[in-house]
Amino acid sequence: MEWINAILQGILLGGLYALFAAGLSLMFGIMRFVNLAHGDFIIAAAFLTLVFVDLTGLSPLWAIVLIVPAMMVAGYIGQRVVLNRLSGKDLLPSILVTFGLSVILQNLMLETFSADSRRVSAGALDTAAIPLGGGLAVGVIPLLLFVSAIAVIALLNWIFAHTAVGRQLRATSDDPETVSLMGINKKHLFAIAMALASGVVALAGVLLAVKTNFDPAAGPVRLLFAFEAVIIGGLGSLWGTLAGGVILGVAQGLGAKIDPGMQILAGHIVFLIILVLRPQGLFPKQRG
């Protein structure tokens, strides 16, 4: 039962990793944009949640109502005003600029909040659990994370399949040159994609704040987990990203069961094995 519990907790942890990765997959899949500050934006959202709770005294989950739309607006403006200038076939400008942005964000959070590790309490939800029998139980917060990941990915897939903007985004991902010839405003389209990605990042940051500890230097680790989940699942596949997050979470859960010091290493080992055996990922996007 202990091994089953380790697998179960790993699956639920995979939901958080899928949230980390969904925004990254969206940006790279549509815009071919590599954002090295992705993990730092997640941590920034976590610190905004901390500020929200300190100022209002409300449950941190209410922060979703404020932080998600605020970061979506900021993402749209940032992409439209600054980052669109970096879009193109050459990935180097986006890598350099977002690396600099990552350094700035980390130091800004360090100056503002110090290097102390923080966590936001969700009150009774912190210890609430649903018994499954046989000594197994599922924590409410981990379950909320996993359900949120499924809901977000399902919503994004619905947008891509059933809205005009979604179809334009898919077309841009498949054939950006042809889209430009059809008169579609790619700058506006890329800004919408960044707004969607920023909303997912904000949700991931809020839920991270109530799930585990975080500090100003934690962003690069979250970025690494997001990259691994995206690559395991396959570039361009959002459901593949969920599968990649689950595989990574289960690998870490089983690694921790074998030896606590192997938790992170086990995930990296599984990632490398999959990368060697199937470089395109397990569920790559099929192009027509």
Side-chain angles (χ1 to χ4, degrees):
M1 295 304 293
E2 291 182 357
W3 287 98
I4 294 175
N5 184 62
I7 294 173
L8 178 61
Q9 299 308 319
I11 291 173
L12 297 178
L13 178 61
L16 181 60
Y17 292 162
L19 280 177
F20 291 168
L24 193 68
S25 178
L26 188 61
M27 284 186 287
F28 187 80
I30 294 173
M31 299 183 289
R32 302 297 186 267
F33 185 86
V34 179
N35 182 10
L36 294 186
H38 182 81
D40 300 293
F41 281 118
I42 293 173
I43 301 302
F47 274 113
L48 287 175
T49 305
L50 176 67
V51 172
F52 173 86
V53 172
D54 288 344
L55 291 178
T56 65
L58 297 175
S59 166
L61 298 181
W62 283 107
I64 295 172
V65 178
L66 179 64
I67 295 175
V68 169
M71 289 191 67
M72 289 182 71
V73 171
Y76 181 93
I77 295 173
Q79 180 67 37
R80 193 68 188 263
V81 175
V82 178
L83 298 180
N84 270 333
R85 303 173 186 271
L86 309 175
S87 298
K89 294 183 178 180
D90 188 1
L91 296 178
L92 185 59
S94 65
I95 291 174
L96 293 176
V97 170
T98 56
F99 174 75
L101 183 58
S102 171
V103 173
I104 292 172
L105 280 173
Q106 288 183 46
N107 282 276
L108 184 61
M109 289 186 289
L110 183 62
E111 287 293 325
T112 306
F113 300 104
S114 80
D116 294 340
S117 180
R118 310 292 184 90
R119 183 178 179 183
V120 180
S121 173
L125 289 179
D126 285 338
T127 55
I130 301 173
L132 300 179
L136 294 177
V138 173
V140 170
I141 288 180
L143 183 61
L144 175 63
L145 289 170
F146 192 78
V147 171
S148 297
I150 294 175
V152 164
I153 291 175
L155 177 60
L156 289 175
N157 275 285
W158 182 87
I159 290 173
F160 293 146
H162 296 95
T163 68
V165 170
R167 287 189 287 271
Q168 291 176 6
L169 289 170
R170 284 193 292 117
T172 302
S173 174
D174 291 337
D175 195 345
E177 288 78 13
T178 302
V179 167
S180 299
L181 296 175
M182 294 175 64
I184 294 175
N185 187 345
K186 285 177 60 177
K187 292 184 178 180
H188 174 64
L189 207 58
F190 283 178
I192 290 176
M194 180 60 78
L196 291 173
S198 298
V200 177
V201 164
L203 178 62
V206 173
L207 296 178
L208 170 71
V210 299
K211 172 67 170 64
T212 187
N213 293 349
F214 57 93
D215 61 76
V221 176
R222 271 64 196 178
L223 173 66
L224 179 59
F225 292 157
F227 266 126
E228 290 182 344
V230 169
I231 294 171
I232 289 172
L235 290 175
S237 172
L238 289 172
W239 288 116
T241 296
L242 176 62
V246 169
I247 290 170
L248 191 61
V250 170
Q252 291 186 0
L254 293 177
K257 180 62 183 173
I258 296 171
D259 186 322
M262 284 190 62
Q263 178 178 0
I264 305 301
L265 179 60
H268 296 333
I269 291 173
V270 169
F271 163 71
L272 288 174
I273 291 173
I274 293 175
L275 186 62
V276 169
L277 297 179
R278 195 171 171 83
Q280 72 271 36
L282 298 178
F283 309 100
K285 180 181 177 182
Q286 300 298 320
R287 300 185 183 275

PDB file of all heavy atoms in Angstrom, residues 102-127:
ATOM      1  N   SER A 102      14.624  37.046 -16.209  1.00  0.00           N
ATOM      2  CA  SER A 102      14.662  36.106 -15.089  1.00  0.00           C
ATOM      3  C   SER A 102      15.567  36.612 -13.974  1.00  0.00           C
ATOM      4  O   SER A 102      15.198  36.579 -12.783  1.00  0.00           O
ATOM      5  CB  SER A 102      15.147  34.740 -15.586  1.00  0.00           C
ATOM      6  OG  SER A 102      15.390  33.860 -14.505  1.00  0.00           O
ATOM      7  N   VAL A 103      16.755  37.104 -14.338  1.00  0.00           N
ATOM      8  CA  VAL A 103      17.685  37.635 -13.335  1.00  0.00           C
ATOM      9  C   VAL A 103      17.076  38.842 -12.607  1.00  0.00           C
ATOM     10  O   VAL A 103      17.166  38.961 -11.378  1.00  0.00           O
ATOM     11  CB  VAL A 103      19.017  38.016 -14.008  1.00  0.00           C
ATOM     12  CG1 VAL A 103      19.935  38.719 -13.007  1.00  0.00           C
ATOM     13  CG2 VAL A 103      19.703  36.781 -14.577  1.00  0.00           C
ATOM     14  N   ILE A 104      16.431  39.713 -13.368  1.00  0.00           N
ATOM     15  CA  ILE A 104      15.808  40.901 -12.769  1.00  0.00           C
ATOM     16  C   ILE A 104      14.699  40.507 -11.802  1.00  0.00           C
ATOM     17  O   ILE A 104      14.620  41.025 -10.676  1.00  0.00           O
ATOM     18  CB  ILE A 104      15.264  41.826 -13.871  1.00  0.00           C
ATOM     19  CG1 ILE A 104      16.413  42.434 -14.669  1.00  0.00           C
ATOM     20  CG2 ILE A 104      14.395  42.929 -13.274  1.00  0.00           C
ATOM     21  CD1 ILE A 104      15.969  43.202 -15.891  1.00  0.00           C
ATOM     22  N   LEU A 105      13.834  39.585 -12.223  1.00  0.00           N
ATOM     23  CA  LEU A 105      12.723  39.163 -11.369  1.00  0.00           C
ATOM     24  C   LEU A 105      13.226  38.519 -10.079  1.00  0.00           C
ATOM     25  O   LEU A 105      12.707  38.803  -8.988  1.00  0.00           O
ATOM     26  CB  LEU A 105      11.828  38.183 -12.122  1.00  0.00           C
ATOM     27  CG  LEU A 105      10.826  38.777 -13.112  1.00  0.00           C
ATOM     28  CD1 LEU A 105      10.147  37.668 -13.895  1.00  0.00           C
ATOM     29  CD2 LEU A 105       9.792  39.612 -12.376  1.00  0.00           C
ATOM     30  N   GLN A 106      14.226  37.653 -10.190  1.00  0.00           N
ATOM     31  CA  GLN A 106      14.748  36.994  -8.997  1.00  0.00           C
ATOM     32  C   GLN A 106      15.313  38.006  -8.008  1.00  0.00           C
ATOM     33  O   GLN A 106      15.062  37.924  -6.796  1.00  0.00           O
ATOM     34  CB  GLN A 106      15.815  35.979  -9.386  1.00  0.00           C
ATOM     35  CG  GLN A 106      15.276  34.733 -10.058  1.00  0.00           C
ATOM     36  CD  GLN A 106      16.357  33.713 -10.357  1.00  0.00           C
ATOM     37  OE1 GLN A 106      17.190  33.416  -9.506  1.00  0.00           O
ATOM     38  NE2 GLN A 106      16.348  33.163 -11.558  1.00  0.00           N
ATOM     39  N   ASN A 107      16.076  38.965  -8.509  1.00  0.00           N
ATOM     40  CA  ASN A 107      16.669  39.956  -7.615  1.00  0.00           C
ATOM     41  C   ASN A 107      15.622  40.910  -7.048  1.00  0.00           C
ATOM     42  O   ASN A 107      15.724  41.342  -5.887  1.00  0.00           O
ATOM     43  CB  ASN A 107      17.755  40.743  -8.357  1.00  0.00           C
ATOM     44  CG  ASN A 107      19.053  39.961  -8.476  1.00  0.00           C
ATOM     45  OD1 ASN A 107      19.872  39.948  -7.563  1.00  0.00           O
ATOM     46  ND2 ASN A 107      19.232  39.278  -9.605  1.00  0.00           N
ATOM     47  N   LEU A 108      14.614  41.236  -7.847  1.00  0.00           N
ATOM     48  CA  LEU A 108      13.536  42.091  -7.357  1.00  0.00           C
ATOM     49  C   LEU A 108      12.768  41.402  -6.240  1.00  0.00           C
ATOM     50  O   LEU A 108      12.467  42.024  -5.196  1.00  0.00           O
ATOM     51  CB  LEU A 108      12.598  42.434  -8.514  1.00  0.00           C
ATOM     52  CG  LEU A 108      11.448  43.395  -8.205  1.00  0.00           C
ATOM     53  CD1 LEU A 108      11.982  44.743  -7.738  1.00  0.00           C
ATOM     54  CD2 LEU A 108      10.566  43.577  -9.426  1.00  0.00           C
ATOM     55  N   MET A 109      12.458  40.122  -6.414  1.00  0.00           N
ATOM     56  CA  MET A 109      11.753  39.385  -5.361  1.00  0.00           C
ATOM     57  C   MET A 109      12.640  39.203  -4.142  1.00  0.00           C
ATOM     58  O   MET A 109      12.161  39.235  -2.992  1.00  0.00           O
ATOM     59  CB  MET A 109      11.286  38.035  -5.902  1.00  0.00           C
ATOM     60  CG  MET A 109      10.150  38.135  -6.906  1.00  0.00           C
ATOM     61  SD  MET A 109       9.457  36.544  -7.428  1.00  0.00           S
ATOM     62  CE  MET A 109      10.783  35.888  -8.446  1.00  0.00           C
ATOM     63  N   LEU A 110      13.937  39.024  -4.364  1.00  0.00           N
ATOM     64  CA  LEU A 110      14.872  38.877  -3.244  1.00  0.00           C
ATOM     65  C   LEU A 110      14.922  40.155  -2.415  1.00  0.00           C
ATOM     66  O   LEU A 110      14.907  40.107  -1.173  1.00  0.00           O
ATOM     67  CB  LEU A 110      16.260  38.533  -3.781  1.00  0.00           C
ATOM     68  CG  LEU A 110      17.356  38.264  -2.750  1.00  0.00           C
ATOM     69  CD1 LEU A 110      17.022  37.059  -1.896  1.00  0.00           C
ATOM     70  CD2 LEU A 110      18.702  38.053  -3.442  1.00  0.00           C
ATOM     71  N   GLU A 111      14.977  41.308  -3.076  1.00  0.00           N
ATOM     72  CA  GLU A 111      15.017  42.589  -2.363  1.00  0.00           C
ATOM     73  C   GLU A 111      13.705  42.862  -1.639  1.00  0.00           C
ATOM     74  O   GLU A 111      13.691  43.454  -0.563  1.00  0.00           O
ATOM     75  CB  GLU A 111      15.312  43.717  -3.354  1.00  0.00           C
ATOM     76  CG  GLU A 111      16.735  43.754  -3.864  1.00  0.00           C
ATOM     77  CD  GLU A 111      17.733  44.097  -2.763  1.00  0.00           C
ATOM     78  OE1 GLU A 111      17.378  44.895  -1.871  1.00  0.00           O
ATOM     79  OE2 GLU A 111      18.844  43.552  -2.781  1.00  0.00           O
ATOM     80  N   THR A 112      12.604  42.432  -2.241  1.00  0.00           N
ATOM     81  CA  THR A 112      11.285  42.748  -1.674  1.00  0.00           C
ATOM     82  C   THR A 112      10.887  41.798  -0.556  1.00  0.00           C
ATOM     83  O   THR A 112      10.343  42.223   0.469  1.00  0.00           O
ATOM     84  CB  THR A 112      10.214  42.703  -2.784  1.00  0.00           C
ATOM     85  OG1 THR A 112      10.604  43.569  -3.855  1.00  0.00           O
ATOM     86  CG2 THR A 112       8.856  43.148  -2.239  1.00  0.00           C
ATOM     87  N   PHE A 113      11.157  40.513  -0.737  1.00  0.00           N
ATOM     88  CA  PHE A 113      10.640  39.507   0.191  1.00  0.00           C
ATOM     89  C   PHE A 113      11.723  38.772   0.977  1.00  0.00           C
ATOM     90  O   PHE A 113      11.391  37.921   1.804  1.00  0.00           O
ATOM     91  CB  PHE A 113       9.806  38.474  -0.580  1.00  0.00           C
ATOM     92  CG  PHE A 113       8.633  39.061  -1.295  1.00  0.00           C
ATOM     93  CD1 PHE A 113       8.668  39.255  -2.671  1.00  0.00           C
ATOM     94  CD2 PHE A 113       7.488  39.422  -0.603  1.00  0.00           C
ATOM     95  CE1 PHE A 113       7.583  39.786  -3.345  1.00  0.00           C
ATOM     96  CE2 PHE A 113       6.391  39.959  -1.269  1.00  0.00           C
ATOM     97  CZ  PHE A 113       6.442  40.150  -2.641  1.00  0.00           C
ATOM     98  N   SER A 114      13.005  39.067   0.717  1.00  0.00           N
ATOM     99  CA  SER A 114      14.144  38.394   1.345  1.00  0.00           C
ATOM    100  C   SER A 114      14.272  36.976   0.790  1.00  0.00           C
ATOM    101  O   SER A 114      13.431  36.514   0.009  1.00  0.00           O
ATOM    102  CB  SER A 114      14.032  38.370   2.866  1.00  0.00           C
ATOM    103  OG  SER A 114      13.169  37.353   3.324  1.00  0.00           O
ATOM    104  N   ALA A 115      15.295  36.266   1.211  1.00  0.00           N
ATOM    105  CA  ALA A 115      15.562  34.918   0.694  1.00  0.00           C
ATOM    106  C   ALA A 115      14.830  33.834   1.476  1.00  0.00           C
ATOM    107  O   ALA A 115      14.996  32.643   1.189  1.00  0.00           O
ATOM    108  CB  ALA A 115      17.065  34.650   0.715  1.00  0.00           C
ATOM    109  N   ASP A 116      14.030  34.217   2.460  1.00  0.00           N
ATOM    110  CA  ASP A 116      13.333  33.232   3.284  1.00  0.00           C
ATOM    111  C   ASP A 116      12.332  32.435   2.461  1.00  0.00           C
ATOM    112  O   ASP A 116      11.659  32.958   1.572  1.00  0.00           O
ATOM    113  CB  ASP A 116      12.591  33.922   4.428  1.00  0.00           C
ATOM    114  CG  ASP A 116      13.543  34.582   5.413  1.00  0.00           C
ATOM    115  OD1 ASP A 116      14.725  34.195   5.422  1.00  0.00           O
ATOM    116  OD2 ASP A 116      13.111  35.482   6.151  1.00  0.00           O
ATOM    117  N   SER A 117      12.219  31.157   2.794  1.00  0.00           N
ATOM    118  CA  SER A 117      11.231  30.301   2.157  1.00  0.00           C
ATOM    119  C   SER A 117       9.853  30.593   2.748  1.00  0.00           C
ATOM    120  O   SER A 117       9.710  30.745   3.969  1.00  0.00           O
ATOM    121  CB  SER A 117      11.604  28.837   2.366  1.00  0.00           C
ATOM    122  OG  SER A 117      10.667  27.987   1.754  1.00  0.00           O
ATOM    123  N   ARG A 118       8.858  30.701   1.909  1.00  0.00           N
ATOM    124  CA  ARG A 118       7.501  31.032   2.355  1.00  0.00           C
ATOM    125  C   ARG A 118       6.524  29.959   1.927  1.00  0.00           C
ATOM    126  O   ARG A 118       6.779  29.167   1.023  1.00  0.00           O
ATOM    127  CB  ARG A 118       7.039  32.368   1.754  1.00  0.00           C
ATOM    128  CG  ARG A 118       8.011  33.528   1.904  1.00  0.00           C
ATOM    129  CD  ARG A 118       8.146  33.966   3.339  1.00  0.00           C
ATOM    130  NE  ARG A 118       9.005  35.141   3.431  1.00  0.00           N
ATOM    131  CZ  ARG A 118       8.566  36.404   3.370  1.00  0.00           C
ATOM    132  NH1 ARG A 118       7.287  36.650   3.211  1.00  0.00           N
ATOM    133  NH2 ARG A 118       9.416  37.412   3.482  1.00  0.00           N
ATOM    134  N   ARG A 119       5.373  29.981   2.581  1.00  0.00           N
ATOM    135  CA  ARG A 119       4.240  29.164   2.162  1.00  0.00           C
ATOM    136  C   ARG A 119       2.972  29.849   2.629  1.00  0.00           C
ATOM    137  O   ARG A 119       2.939  30.424   3.720  1.00  0.00           O
ATOM    138  CB  ARG A 119       4.324  27.751   2.736  1.00  0.00           C
ATOM    139  CG  ARG A 119       3.190  26.853   2.245  1.00  0.00           C
ATOM    140  CD  ARG A 119       3.290  25.441   2.771  1.00  0.00           C
ATOM    141  NE  ARG A 119       2.182  24.626   2.292  1.00  0.00           N
ATOM    142  CZ  ARG A 119       1.989  23.368   2.647  1.00  0.00           C
ATOM    143  NH1 ARG A 119       2.840  22.771   3.464  1.00  0.00           N
ATOM    144  NH2 ARG A 119       0.957  22.700   2.177  1.00  0.00           N
ATOM    145  N   VAL A 120       1.945  29.785   1.823  1.00  0.00           N
ATOM    146  CA  VAL A 120       0.675  30.426   2.152  1.00  0.00           C
ATOM    147  C   VAL A 120      -0.281  29.373   2.700  1.00  0.00           C
ATOM    148  O   VAL A 120      -0.509  28.345   2.051  1.00  0.00           O
ATOM    149  CB  VAL A 120       0.063  31.105   0.909  1.00  0.00           C
ATOM    150  CG1 VAL A 120      -1.270  31.761   1.267  1.00  0.00           C
ATOM    151  CG2 VAL A 120       1.019  32.146   0.347  1.00  0.00           C
ATOM    152  N   SER A 121      -0.831  29.630   3.878  1.00  0.00           N
ATOM    153  CA  SER A 121      -1.740  28.666   4.492  1.00  0.00           C
ATOM    154  C   SER A 121      -3.129  28.789   3.891  1.00  0.00           C
ATOM    155  O   SER A 121      -3.648  29.891   3.683  1.00  0.00           O
ATOM    156  CB  SER A 121      -1.814  28.901   6.006  1.00  0.00           C
ATOM    157  OG  SER A 121      -2.812  28.071   6.584  1.00  0.00           O
ATOM    158  N   ALA A 122      -3.727  27.639   3.607  1.00  0.00           N
ATOM    159  CA  ALA A 122      -5.105  27.605   3.111  1.00  0.00           C
ATOM    160  C   ALA A 122      -6.073  27.186   4.211  1.00  0.00           C
ATOM    161  O   ALA A 122      -7.195  26.758   3.940  1.00  0.00           O
ATOM    162  CB  ALA A 122      -5.215  26.652   1.934  1.00  0.00           C
ATOM    163  N   GLY A 123      -5.636  27.312   5.457  1.00  0.00           N
ATOM    164  CA  GLY A 123      -6.498  26.981   6.581  1.00  0.00           C
ATOM    165  C   GLY A 123      -6.756  25.491   6.703  1.00  0.00           C
ATOM    166  O   GLY A 123      -5.844  24.670   6.604  1.00  0.00           O
ATOM    167  N   ALA A 124      -8.017  25.141   6.874  1.00  0.00           N
ATOM    168  CA  ALA A 124      -8.381  23.740   7.072  1.00  0.00           C
ATOM    169  C   ALA A 124      -8.068  22.882   5.852  1.00  0.00           C
ATOM    170  O   ALA A 124      -7.886  21.664   5.969  1.00  0.00           O
ATOM    171  CB  ALA A 124      -9.864  23.634   7.408  1.00  0.00           C
ATOM    172  N   LEU A 125      -7.976  23.500   4.673  1.00  0.00           N
ATOM    173  CA  LEU A 125      -7.686  22.724   3.464  1.00  0.00           C
ATOM    174  C   LEU A 125      -6.280  22.127   3.488  1.00  0.00           C
ATOM    175  O   LEU A 125      -6.008  21.151   2.783  1.00  0.00           O
ATOM    176  CB  LEU A 125      -7.843  23.601   2.222  1.00  0.00           C
ATOM    177  CG  LEU A 125      -9.268  24.002   1.832  1.00  0.00           C
ATOM    178  CD1 LEU A 125      -9.229  24.891   0.599  1.00  0.00           C
ATOM    179  CD2 LEU A 125     -10.122  22.770   1.571  1.00  0.00           C
ATOM    180  N   ASP A 126      -5.382  22.719   4.284  1.00  0.00           N
ATOM    181  CA  ASP A 126      -4.009  22.222   4.333  1.00  0.00           C
ATOM    182  C   ASP A 126      -3.948  20.763   4.767  1.00  0.00           C
ATOM    183  O   ASP A 126      -3.096  19.999   4.298  1.00  0.00           O
ATOM    184  CB  ASP A 126      -3.167  23.074   5.292  1.00  0.00           C
ATOM    185  CG  ASP A 126      -2.817  24.427   4.697  1.00  0.00           C
ATOM    186  OD1 ASP A 126      -2.846  24.549   3.458  1.00  0.00           O
ATOM    187  OD2 ASP A 126      -2.517  25.358   5.465  1.00  0.00           O
ATOM    188  N   THR A 127      -4.823  20.388   5.672  1.00  0.00           N
ATOM    189  CA  THR A 127      -4.792  19.022   6.224  1.00  0.00           C
ATOM    190  C   THR A 127      -6.005  18.194   5.817  1.00  0.00           C
ATOM    191  O   THR A 127      -6.095  17.026   6.187  1.00  0.00           O
ATOM    192  CB  THR A 127      -4.715  19.065   7.762  1.00  0.00           C
ATOM    193  OG1 THR A 127      -5.800  19.847   8.273  1.00  0.00           O
ATOM    194  CG2 THR A 127      -3.400  19.699   8.211  1.00  0.00           C
TER     195      THR A 127
END
